[in-house]
Amino acid sequence: AQSVTQPDIHITVSEGASLELRCNYSYGATPYLFWYVQSPGQGLQLLLKYFSGDTLVQGIKGFEAEFKRSQSSFNLRKPSVHWSDAAEYFCAVDTGNQFYFGTGTSLTVIP
Amino acid sequence: NAGVTQTPKFQVLKTGQSMTLQCAQDMNHEYMSWYRQDPGMGLRLIHYSVGAGITDQGEVPNGYNVSRSTTEDFPLRLLSAAPSQTSVYFCASSYSRLFHEQYFGPGTRLTVT
């Protein structure tokens, strides 16, 4: 069965520190991969997406993600976190038949 | 463009009551979907539609009905609410079914007592 795993339920980082959020997927072929962010009380907003081509993709708000086929991973990174990045982050895959979300990683940013 | 709108924002129901969550989009998107979000479970797909007159079930369809009479609107009906349906519901739309960004509404927080 297809699935998306975000192993970190909650991460705390200091403002200005680097960030990496992990995402692993289980799917027989290469899926189409997304990262979404959800601020408190809001809907989800797309950060970036990977369909094909360059495995390092750039998104909004200074985020990037790298697709690694050998590890079935699509980790999200940011070199320097801002306080406004505190939110919930969801990895998602589109297999062509259905869209699956991970359970999310909650990010806290401390001054 | 208003994007994806959802009403109401909050709702409290008693067990057994029925209600309809409204969703509308003004982007002429063909694909629309409903998700529920529960703590520790991420978002799970309830129903989706690839165009007017076409709907299909997602991962957790039981207890919910949908219809798509127009491109713009995709209401979600709870025929007999149960406490297990207490959740936050999100409607989303995208240009087409495959591999396009989904645009999400602000959500409806539903409590069933």
Side-chain angles (χ1 to χ4, degrees), chain A residues 2-11 21-25 34-38 44 87-93 99-107, chain B residues 35-44 59 90:
Chain A
Q2 297 83 6
S3 70
V4 183
T5 303
Q6 293 182 246
D8 303 306
I9 296 173
H10 185 255
I11 285 182
L21 303 182
R22 296 183 290 166
C23 173
N24 293 94
Y25 65 90
F34 303 80
W35 274 101
Y36 283 84
V37 60
Q38 183 182 31
L44 278 71
E88 185 111 19
Y89 291 81
F90 292 93
C91 181
V93 303
F99 207 85
Y100 296 93
F101 281 90
T103 53
T105 297
S106 177
L107 175 65
Chain B
Y35 294 88
R36 59 178 289 172
Q37 183 179 28
D38 302 292
M41 303 192 75
L43 280 79
R44 293 180 292 169
E59 186 182 357
F90 288 99

Side-chain angles (χ1 to χ4, degrees), chain B residues 26-99:
Chain B
D26 61 359
M27 297 174 282
N28 202 31
H29 285 169
E30 290 297 321
Y31 182 78
M32 297 186 73
S33 55
W34 276 102
Y35 294 88
R36 59 178 289 172
Q37 183 179 28
D38 302 292
M41 303 192 75
L43 280 79
R44 293 180 292 169
L45 182 65
I46 304 171
H47 285 285
Y48 64 94
S49 168
V50 298
I54 306 170
T55 64
D56 206 346
Q57 297 180 350
E59 186 182 357
V60 288
N62 292 341
Y64 308 95
N65 282 348
V66 292
S67 60
R68 184 95 179 271
S69 56
T70 67
T71 299
E72 295 77 20
D73 300 298
F74 190 45
L76 178 72
R77 297 185 185 84
L78 285 70
L79 297 179
S80 180
S84 61
Q85 294 178 304
T86 293
S87 187
V88 181
Y89 292 84
F90 288 99
C91 180
S93 74
S94 64
Y95 177 72
S96 71
R97 164 63 187 89
L98 293 177
F99 319 133

Side-chain angles (χ1 to χ4, degrees), chain A residues 5-78:
Chain A
T5 303
Q6 293 182 246
D8 303 306
I9 296 173
H10 185 255
I11 285 182
T12 300
V13 298
S14 298
E15 192 169 15
S18 64
L19 172 69
E20 182 168 29
L21 303 182
R22 296 183 290 166
C23 173
N24 293 94
Y25 65 90
S26 171
Y27 181 56
T30 299
Y32 296 82
L33 299 157
F34 303 80
W35 274 101
Y36 283 84
V37 60
Q38 183 182 31
S39 297
Q42 303 295 315
L44 278 71
Q45 180 185 21
L46 181 70
L47 283 176
L48 48 78
K49 59 189 177 185
Y50 172 77
F51 289 168
S52 65
D54 192 346
T55 56
L56 183 65
V57 293
Q58 303 296 321
I60 63 171
K61 304 184 181 186
F63 285 91
E64 66 179 27
E66 185 172 13
F67 169 61
K68 293 186 176 180
R69 185 190 308 273
S70 61
Q71 299 177 17
S72 297
S73 69
F74 188 56
N75 294 348
L76 182 72
R77 301 195 293 250
K78 186 169 185 177

